[in-house]
Amino acid sequence: MRYTVNSSGYDYTKKIKGCCQDKADNLKNKILNSVNTEEIYDIKGKKYYIAKDMRIEDIPAELKEGDAVLFERGGLWRISYGNGIVLPNGVTIGAYGTGDKPKFYGSTKNYADNNIWEKVECNLYKTFLPGGNPGIIVFDDEACLGVKKWTLDDVKSNYDFFYEYETEYIYFYYEGNIGEDFNSIEIGQRGNLITINSNCVADNLCVKYTGSHGIVVNTSCENVSITNNEIGCLGGSMQFGTTRFGNGIEIQLGSVNSLVKNNYVYECYDAGITFQTWTSANLETSYHNVNFIENLIENCSYGIEFFTTNKDDNGLYSDYKDITFESNIIRFSGYEWSQLQRPDPWMNSHIRGGNWAYVPDCENFNIVNNIFDISRASMIFWWWHDEKKGYLHPVKHPGLTVKHNCFYQAKTADGRVMNFYENVPVYAETKEDYIKAVKSFDSNPNEVVWF
């Protein structure tokens, strides 16, 4: 790669170093080398095998509950704009064969080809991109260097891009040779890649390069398992205003008996994993027995995010019961591309709750035995009391247990918030401040390191 630094200041060659590299590597290797889906799950219906030379369109139209669609390892399926995979109730999607997990890319082609790009003027190129709303450009499968701009006049530095909806052209600024300097350029447009419903399994997949979300659980689903997946380099498409999409795994508008385990999630514009309810849905929801276990989440704006409606918002009833965050490793929240392009970088955090995460009817919410390894802004951003906005919750969150977590952090020059928990921000300028911040959240941590 000839250039590494983009106009937002992101240099992919400068990698942050944390305190749990060996543990993170071991978990990553475990996830990437997990056994095939048929060895994990008892598939009672028909098994449909999609070989590497087959298309997404070869998935049978009439899938029944209990069936499985298994993709051959080593294969790559590009999902065009607006054509993500949607599984009906009770269907498993997974992997068979040997080699790397089957890949599902939201980028319709590899754009590292001079023949694809038309030169407009010095260092400014364009190519036709039907469907619109690109959110992310990834170079050589690892560097999320593309910087989305709001006008064509703003496209003036390496890796800047702008999408013109009227003509469906994407404009890209680059001072080198696009075809020679890169092996691959992937452009992710708006759209969820894989959506599942009740009683579904999503296992052993590699899901990357979309402008929206990787794996989405549909509204109010039950008995869902999302396991052993690699999900990364996604998000950035416009949702509204300056708000952009980008969650690796999203469970939306309620869920019962769901498991998210052994997933490697990285480089998401928004949350690595989220479960959420929003007021505009006008829907009462419940999250019961939802478990997030042994996931590795790196370089996302938020590690695990959650919020819901409550009676203070609109009178709708929502609740959390039997929620577990356990043995996850969440690292480098707010680092690299997502933080540098966000309008709200001060909210980056390992755990993101926000004003909408206080539910009076909350039982058995456990955050235990996790590793939180370096955040750029906050370790915890969970602010549930705000008199100016009318969120009045002066007492401790009910039903919440936080214990035996590990916290690793270093001081930064910008005096960022180290903990924004309950109703008062706790800043860390010294080791003593840092310990106070940790213990405001976890009174019995396994390890606290300030380095």
Side-chain angles (χ1 to χ4, degrees), residues 110-310:
N110 180 353
Y111 289 84
D113 184 344
N114 288 328
N115 295 320
I116 293 176
W117 297 91
E118 175 187 347
K119 193 168 187 177
V120 178
E121 56 186 58
C122 182
N123 303 324
L124 183 65
Y125 301 84
K126 72 176 183 179
T127 191
F128 186 58
L129 189 72
N133 208 339
I136 187 172
I137 303 181
V138 183
F139 302 85
D140 290 340
D141 294 324
E142 61 177 326
C144 307
L145 290 166
V147 181
K148 190 176 182 71
K149 297 296 183 178
W150 311 117
T151 70
L152 184 56
D153 289 340
D154 292 330
V155 179
K156 57 183 67 173
S157 300
N158 275 319
Y159 304 106
D160 288 353
F161 70 92
F162 168 75
Y163 188 75
E164 191 172 64
Y165 286 89
E166 296 78 11
T167 63
E168 296 190 302
Y169 274 97
I170 184 172
Y171 290 82
F172 175 57
Y173 191 100
Y174 186 63
E175 296 175 2
N177 187 304
I178 294 173
E180 293 181 1
D181 291 351
F182 307 102
N183 294 316
S184 71
I185 299 176
E186 306 288 354
I187 301 177
Q189 294 173 259
R190 176 171 171 168
N192 302 327
L193 290 189
I194 296 176
T195 301
I196 62 177
N197 284 281
S198 288
N199 303 306
C200 282
V201 171
D203 176 70
N204 263 303
L205 313 176
C206 175
V207 179
K208 300 172 75 172
Y209 311 134
T210 178
S212 295
H213 311 315
I215 297 178
V216 173
V217 180
N218 232 334
T219 301
S220 300
C221 287
E222 300 180 353
N223 305 317
V224 166
S225 294
I226 301 173
T227 55
N228 306 306
N229 300 290
E230 177 188 354
I231 304 168
C233 297
L234 56 81
S237 289
M238 297 311 303
Q239 184 176 6
F240 56 84
T242 58
T243 300
R244 300 165 70 180
F245 287 108
N247 300 319
I249 298 172
E250 178 175 305
I251 305 176
Q252 58 186 26
L253 296 170
S255 186
V256 176
N257 299 331
S258 293
L259 175 66
V260 178
K261 183 176 181 180
N262 267 42
N263 299 283
Y264 174 40
V265 186
Y266 57 95
E267 294 282 11
C268 298
Y269 177 83
D270 206 53
I273 298 171
T274 185
F275 61 110
Q276 56 184 261
T277 299
W278 48 92
T279 56
S280 61
N282 197 33
L283 182 69
E284 293 187 349
T285 60
S286 294
Y287 283 100
H288 294 176
N289 190 29
V290 182
N291 300 292
F292 305 90
I293 299 172
E294 294 181 359
N295 301 286
L296 174 60
I297 307 169
E298 296 182 324
N299 298 112
C300 299
S301 183
Y302 314 124
I304 300 178
E305 173 194 48
F306 56 99
F307 55 86
T308 186
T309 57
N310 57 58

Side-chain angles (χ1 to χ4, degrees), residues 10-78:
Y10 167 37
D11 184 345
Y12 94 104
T13 64
K14 294 182 179 180
K15 299 292 186 180
I16 190 72
K17 294 182 179 180
C19 280
C20 64
Q21 191 63 54
D22 289 345
K23 291 181 179 179
D25 287 344
N26 289 337
L27 181 53
K28 179 179 176 181
N29 289 332
K30 177 185 174 184
I31 294 167
L32 295 182
N33 296 291
S34 56
V35 299
N36 284 330
T37 304
E38 293 173 277
E39 299 179 52
I40 303 170
Y41 293 96
D42 182 16
I43 299 168
K44 300 184 182 301
K46 291 184 178 180
K47 300 174 185 177
Y48 298 93
Y49 296 94
I50 309 298
K52 286 184 282 190
D53 59 353
M54 296 171 68
R55 306 171 303 158
I56 291 289
E57 291 78 9
D58 293 322
I59 297 176
E62 296 295 330
L63 292 170
K64 297 180 180 179
E65 189 151 356
D67 290 349
V69 182
L70 303 174
F71 287 80
E72 186 176 4
R73 288 178 179 268
L76 168 59
W77 288 267
R78 293 184 179 272

Side-chain angles (χ1 to χ4, degrees), residues 27 249 251 258-262 271-276 287-297 302-308 320-330 349-354 357 362-372 379-382 384 397 399-407 421 441-442 446:
L27 181 53
I249 298 172
I251 305 176
S258 293
L259 175 66
V260 178
K261 183 176 181 180
N262 267 42
I273 298 171
T274 185
F275 61 110
Q276 56 184 261
Y287 283 100
H288 294 176
N289 190 29
V290 182
N291 300 292
F292 305 90
I293 299 172
E294 294 181 359
N295 301 286
L296 174 60
I297 307 169
Y302 314 124
I304 300 178
E305 173 194 48
F306 56 99
F307 55 86
T308 186
Y320 294 141
K321 294 182 180 178
D322 301 320
I323 308 296
T324 299
F325 303 171
E326 184 174 358
S327 300
N328 301 286
I329 300 177
I330 304 178
S349 50
H350 299 311
I351 300 293
R352 168 74 168 104
C362 173
E363 299 177 10
N364 197 31
F365 193 152
N366 299 297
I367 302 176
V368 297
N369 295 319
N370 301 283
I371 294 175
F372 302 119
M379 291 184 298
I380 310 299
F381 191 98
W382 188 347
W384 59 57
H397 199 300
L400 179 65
T401 298
V402 183
K403 62 182 181 180
H404 303 324
N405 300 285
C406 295
F407 297 83
Y421 176 61
F441 182 63
D442 185 340
N446 272 351

